[in-house]
Amino acid sequence: MIITLDGPAGAGKSSTARALACRLGWFYMDTGAMYRAVTLVALERDVALDDGPGLAALAESLAIAFRDGRVFVGDRDISSEIRTEQITAATRSVADAPPVRDAMKRMQRTIAGGLDVVTEGRDQGSVVFPHAELKVFLTASPEERARRRHREEEARGVDTSLHAVLAAQNRRDEGDRIRAVGAMKPADDAVLVETDGLTEEQVVDRLVHLIEERRTSRGA
Ligand code: DC
C-alpha cells in the first residue's frame, strides 16, 4: 500500500511521515532527500545546475538508497551533508529541471515497488503515485508554519525574527505556487489535513484512522 504525504515546508511533513512509517512499520521515502542527493553530487562533479539533461543523466547513474533512517549514495552516508544551507538553496533549481523530475519519478517508483510505503514530498500524490491508496496534503496556516520554522532556526542557533521568517516563507510560497514544473498543488483526490494546533501524535493518529477507513472500504 502506498500513502503519499505532500505539502509545503513547515506543515510538519517530514516528521509526520517518519513517525507514521515508524508506527506502521512501513518504508519511509524522503523524496526531498533524493533531490538533495543529486544536487550534492552535481556540485562535487561540477555538473552545471542549469544543465537539465546533464543533471538527469547524473541522477539516473546514482544508486540512492534509504537504510536505517539514513540516506546513501552507493555506500556513502550523505544524511548530514545534504542538510546544509548551500544544498538547500541549490536543490531548488535542480528540482525545477523537468528531465530531473522525470528521472526522479522513475527512481521513486522503482524504490517503492511492491513495498508498503509512506512517501513524502510535493508531487507524490499528484504525479509520481497517482494510484496511491491514500493521498494526504498536509497544510498549516502561514503563521503556524513560520512559528515552527522560527523555533527550529532558534534551536540551531540562528538569530532571526518571526517576522523575517514569515516574509521569506511568503516569498518561497509564491515562487512554489507559480513554478512552471513541480508546482505544489494537492492531487484532486487528496485529503487535506490541517495541522494547526495539533501535536505530531495527533496528526499521526488522524492519518492512521484514514488508512483504516481506506482499508475497510477496499475490503468491503
Ligand atoms: O523537502 P526538502 O526541503 O528536503 O526538499 C528539498 C527540495 O526539493 C525543495 O526545494 C523541494 C524540492 N522537492 C521537490 O521539488 N519535489 C519533491 N518531491 C521533493 C522535494
Side-chain angles (χ1 to χ4, degrees):
M1 182 166 177
I2 293 183
I3 298 174
T4 60
L5 214 58
D6 294 304
K13 245 181 334 164
S14 301
S15 52
T16 303
R18 190 173 288 113
L20 176 65
C22 185
R23 172 114 52 111
L24 298 168
W26 289 13
F27 181 69
Y28 162 51
M29 183 158 68
D30 174 355
T31 62
M34 298 173 72
Y35 282 97
R36 289 170 181 270
V38 174
T39 307
L40 174 75
V41 180
L43 289 171
E44 288 173 348
R45 297 194 191 164
D46 285 331
V47 179
L49 296 186
D50 58 359
D51 173 9
L55 290 166
L58 173 68
E60 300 271 12
S61 75
L62 297 181
I64 300 175
F66 297 96
R67 286 194 292 274
D68 303 325
R70 316 278 306 168
V71 195
F72 292 81
V73 170
D75 288 335
R76 177 177 164 205
D77 183 343
I78 54 159
S79 312
S80 305
E81 283 167 274
I82 57 172
R83 300 287 162 199
T84 64
E85 286 298 324
Q86 186 204 9
I87 298 294
T88 300
T91 303
R92 288 183 73 81
S93 51
V94 171
D96 270 350
V100 175
R101 301 203 71 81
D102 229 45
M104 298 312 269
K105 177 171 75 179
R106 280 195 294 279
M107 196 185 295
Q108 287 156 10
R109 287 178 178 169
T110 303
I111 291 176
L115 299 176
D116 285 323
V117 181
V118 178
T119 179
E120 173 237 323
R122 301 175 162 231
D123 56 351
Q124 297 298 287
S126 54
V127 176
V128 182
F129 298 105
H131 304 300
E133 282 84 352
L134 176 65
K135 301 177 187 177
V136 176
F137 196 82
L138 221 54
T139 62
S141 66
E143 293 74 19
E144 174 75 19
R145 291 166 48 217
R147 264 195 299 277
R148 288 178 189 161
R149 182 176 270 252
H150 183 232
R151 271 201 299 271
E152 278 167 19
E153 302 221 330
E154 277 189 330
R156 284 195 288 126
V158 179
D159 183 22
T160 180
S161 70
L162 180 58
H163 181 75
V165 170
L166 181 59
Q169 178 183 280
N170 286 340
R171 282 195 298 277
R172 272 197 310 276
D173 281 357
E174 182 57 11
D176 279 339
R177 204 180 56 73
I178 60 173
R179 261 163 96 175
V181 281
M184 180 140 36
K185 66 174 180 60
D188 292 339
D189 51 351
V191 181
L192 258 63
V193 174
E194 153 86 60
T195 65
D196 276 43
L198 296 182
T199 64
E200 183 182 290
E201 200 181 352
Q202 288 170 324
V203 178
V204 173
D205 284 346
R206 171 132 171 65
L207 299 184
V208 169
H209 181 71
L210 287 169
I211 294 164
E212 281 163 1
E213 274 180 359
R214 284 298 150 102
R215 279 182 159 160
T216 311
S217 66
R218 280 204 310 165

